[in-house]
Amino acid sequence: MPVETWLTFTLGFMILGSIVALELKDILSSIIAIGIVGLGVSMSFLFLQAPDLAIVQFLFEIFALIILVRAFIGKENHQLESSSTNKVMTGVGIVAAAAIFFLSIPVFRLLPPFGEPLMQVSQHYLDAGAAETGAANLVASVILDYRAYDTLGEVTVLFTAILGAFAILRSTATHKTAGGDHE
Amino acid sequence: MSKPKITVIIDPDIYKDTPRPSSDKKDTSKPSSGKSGMTLIVKTVTRITVWMIILYGFYIILHGHLTPGGGFGGGVIIALALLNVLLAYGRDFTQKWLNIHLLENIESLSALLFVIVGILGLFVSGSFLANFLSKGQLFAVVSAGTIPLLNIIIGFKVAMSLFLVVWVLAGIKMSKGDAA
Amino acid sequence: MTVYLLCFALFLVGVYGVIAKRDLIKIILSIGIMGYAANLFLILFAYKHGATFPILTGGKVSPMVDPLPQALVLTSIVIELGTTALLVALVVRLFQKYGTFDIAKIRRLRG
C-alpha cells in the first residue's frame, strides 16, 4: 500500500480528532482528544521516514498532556456557556475557514507534487555530510554543524520562553504569600 | 535501603490525608512515606525505574550523532523522569532530593556554554560554531567533532528548562488551591 | 496534492478554534493544532518516493529523504513545547486574577 493512502487515512482521523477536541464540553476529554492529533502526527513522521521527529513528537505529546492536565484539571468552576456572540463567531469562523480552503486550492497546484522534492542544497548535505562532519545521523549534522546558528537561536527562544513563564508565575507566588515561598 | 518501608505497609495511617505527628521523629533522610504524592505502589515503581529512564535519556543523547534521537529527544526523556518523581512523591520530597538552584544554574550555564563552543570555533577554525575538533572514525561513539558536545549541552538545556517550568507550575497550583 | 490539502484543512481547524472559541484552554489547544499542521506540512515536502531515512547504516547508500526540513522541524517542536508552557502560565495567571477562562468575561471585567 502506498504511503499516501496511509497518510490520507491518518490525516482524516486527525482532523476528526481535532474537531472533537474543540467541540467537547468536558475539558479532560478535550485534552485527551488532542492526543489523537499529536500521536497521529508522530505516526505520520514515521511513515515519512523521519524517526528523530517521531521520537521527539511522541515525547512532546506526553509532556504537553501532563502540563495541561496538571494545570487545568481539578477546577470545578470551569464552565462553558453559549451566547449569541459565540454563535456569530462560530459561523464567521466556519465560513472564513471554508473560504480560505477553497480559494487556496490553486496555490497548492503550484507546489511540487508529493514525493518529488526540490533537493538542491540538501543534496550536498546527503552527499558530503558524512565526510565533512563525521556524523552518521545526517539530521544531527544539519542541526549542529551546517545550521548550528539556527540551533543557537532555538536555545535562545527556549530560554526566553521559560524565563517568561518563570517571571509570570514567580511574581504571583511572591504576591500571594508575601515572600514565603520565594527564595 | 528499604527496611523502614516494611513498617509503612502495615501502617493504616498512610491512607489518611492528615499529617501524622510521628512522621517527624522517624527517619528524615528518606521522607518517602509522607502525606504528599501518590500511593506506595507508585512510589516504589518510580524509585526503581527513574534511574533507568535517566540512563536511557543519556544513551539517547550520547548516541545522537549515530542513531535517531539527539539532544532534544534525550533532554525531554530526562525531564520526564524528573517529572515522574515530582508527580509520584510530591513537591516537598523533590525539593529535598534535587537541588533546584543547581538545576537553574545548569539551565542558564548551558546556554552560555553553547555560545562559548561557538566562539572557540571562531578562534580555532575561523567561523562561528565551526566544527573544530577531529572528525574521527565514522560510526564511532567519540567522533564527529563538536556535534556530541553540543548534543550534551542541548540535552541539559532542554531537560532542565522543561522540568523547571513544570516545577514552577506545580508550586502555583498548590497555592492556588488554598486561595480558591 | 490530496495530502497537502488535508494537512491545510487541519491547520484551518486550528484557525477556526482560535477565532470562534471563547475558552482560553480551547484556544491553547487550537494553537497546538496549528503547530502540528505546520510541522507536518514541512515534512510532507521532504518526502521522496522510495527513499529511506537520512541516517547512514553502514550498508549500501540508498536514496534518502530531505534532511533539511527535518532539522528545522526538530527545533520547532521543542520551541512549541516552550511556548505551550508559557501560554499555560499566562492562562493560570489570568485565572488567578479574574476567576474565569472566558475571554468575553475577562474583557468585561477589565478596569
Side-chain angles (χ1 to χ4, degrees):
Chain A
M1 195 180 286
V3 70
E4 211 162 350
T5 316
W6 281 109
L7 281 174
T8 310
F9 176 71
T10 315
L11 275 166
F13 206 59
M14 279 155 53
I15 291 170
L16 201 67
S18 57
I19 291 173
V20 166
L22 287 181
E23 294 302 329
L24 277 177
K25 295 286 182 201
D26 185 21
I27 207 70
L28 178 61
S29 315
S30 174
I31 289 173
I32 290 172
I34 213 75
I36 296 173
V37 188
L39 295 178
V41 171
S42 174
M43 216 161 68
S44 308
F45 285 158
L46 268 185
F47 285 137
L48 292 167
Q49 305 286 343
D52 301 83
L53 294 175
I55 291 174
V56 177
Q57 176 71 42
F58 183 72
L59 295 166
F60 165 87
E61 196 48 49
I62 297 169
F63 207 96
L65 198 82
I66 289 174
I67 287 181
L68 289 168
V69 169
R70 180 84 188 152
F72 293 134
I73 302 303
K75 297 186 175 67
E76 277 77 17
N77 44 5
H78 172 249
Q79 72 273 9
L80 291 171
E81 66 268 31
S82 63
S83 67
S84 61
T85 55
N86 202 358
K87 287 197 182 96
V88 167
M89 286 313 284
T90 305
V92 168
I94 290 174
V95 169
I100 292 171
F101 182 76
F102 285 113
L103 290 178
S104 58
I105 287 176
V107 179
F108 286 91
R109 292 217 174 88
L110 301 177
L111 295 176
F114 179 70
E116 295 160 26
L118 299 169
M119 290 169 69
Q120 291 169 349
V121 182
S122 317
Q123 198 58 49
H124 174 74
Y125 295 158
L126 290 180
D127 293 337
E132 283 181 4
T133 67
N137 187 349
L138 293 172
V139 177
S141 77
V142 174
I143 289 177
L144 294 172
D145 194 326
Y146 289 114
R147 291 186 171 250
Y149 205 73
D150 279 359
T151 310
L152 178 61
E154 184 273 341
V155 168
T156 315
V157 170
L158 190 64
F159 190 62
T160 314
I162 302 303
L163 213 62
F166 263 56
I168 291 165
L169 292 174
R170 278 262 169 97
S171 69
T172 326
T174 52
H175 205 266
K176 274 256 183 292
T177 62
D181 195 19
H182 172 251
E183 173 93 23
Chain B
M1 136 182 141
S2 61
K3 281 283 162 43
K5 300 293 183 309
I6 310 279
T7 62
V8 172
I9 291 173
I10 58 172
D11 190 354
D13 278 347
I14 58 168
Y15 298 111
K16 294 183 180 175
D17 285 331
T18 55
R20 286 177 297 159
S22 65
S23 65
D24 294 331
K25 289 182 289 185
K26 279 191 174 180
D27 183 18
T28 54
S29 64
K30 279 190 88 65
S32 58
S33 64
K35 58 201 179 298
S36 64
M38 297 186 182
T39 61
L40 187 66
I41 299 171
V42 179
K43 286 183 180 181
T44 308
V45 172
T46 302
R47 197 173 62 230
I48 294 169
T49 55
V50 62
W51 291 109
M52 296 187 200
I53 302 172
I54 290 177
L55 185 67
Y56 179 62
F58 275 109
Y59 168 79
I60 292 277
I61 290 175
L62 289 177
H63 289 248
H65 57 294
L66 302 175
T67 54
F72 295 102
V76 182
I77 288 172
I78 292 176
L80 280 169
L82 299 179
L83 181 57
N84 197 354
V85 175
L86 176 62
L87 289 178
Y89 281 87
R91 196 174 146 91
D92 294 332
F93 176 77
T94 315
Q95 198 153 23
K96 283 172 192 154
W97 185 57
L98 290 170
N99 189 351
I100 300 294
H101 289 289
L102 181 66
L103 299 191
E104 288 173 1
N105 290 339
I106 290 173
E107 196 248 346
S108 306
L109 193 67
S110 54
L112 186 64
L113 277 174
F114 199 99
V115 180
I116 286 174
V117 171
I119 291 173
L120 278 179
L122 181 63
F123 280 123
V124 175
S125 191
S127 63
F128 188 65
L129 281 166
N131 198 343
F132 58 90
L133 294 176
S134 157
K135 305 297 183 295
Q137 182 76 30
L138 194 63
F139 302 120
V141 175
V142 182
S143 67
T146 55
I147 289 178
L149 202 60
L150 293 178
N151 252 334
I152 292 168
I153 291 170
I154 285 175
F156 273 108
K157 169 77 190 157
V158 170
M160 295 312 149
S161 53
L162 291 182
F163 172 68
L164 283 172
V165 72
V166 179
W167 168 260
V168 177
L169 269 175
I172 286 305
K173 180 76 172 55
M174 284 180 186
S175 68
K176 183 169 172 43
D178 301 339
Chain C
M1 177 76 189
T2 318
V3 189
Y4 291 163
L5 282 178
L6 279 172
C7 194
F8 190 56
L10 185 63
F11 184 81
L12 286 177
V13 170
V15 172
Y16 156 74
V18 172
I19 291 175
K21 293 295 163 189
R22 302 197 315 175
D23 194 356
L24 279 170
I25 302 173
K26 293 284 176 65
I27 291 175
I28 291 179
L29 296 182
S30 309
I31 293 172
I33 292 170
M34 288 163 71
Y36 292 144
N39 289 342
L40 188 55
F41 200 73
L42 280 173
I43 297 301
L44 286 175
F45 276 129
Y47 186 71
K48 190 176 181 183
H49 280 306
T52 60
F53 45 83
I55 295 168
L56 299 177
T57 51
K60 66 177 179 58
V61 178
S62 53
M64 289 173 180
V65 299
D66 196 345
L68 186 53
Q70 296 195 10
L72 298 181
V73 169
L74 190 55
T75 58
S76 153
I77 290 172
V78 180
I79 289 177
E80 211 175 291
L81 198 47
T83 50
T84 305
L86 182 60
L87 283 172
V88 168
L90 270 173
V91 170
V92 166
R93 185 83 176 86
L94 276 173
F95 185 79
Q96 275 186 333
K97 189 148 173 65
Y98 294 109
T100 179
F101 284 122
D102 194 333
I103 51 172
K105 277 188 184 171
I106 288 174
R107 202 179 295 134
R108 212 177 303 137
L109 286 170
R110 186 188 56 198

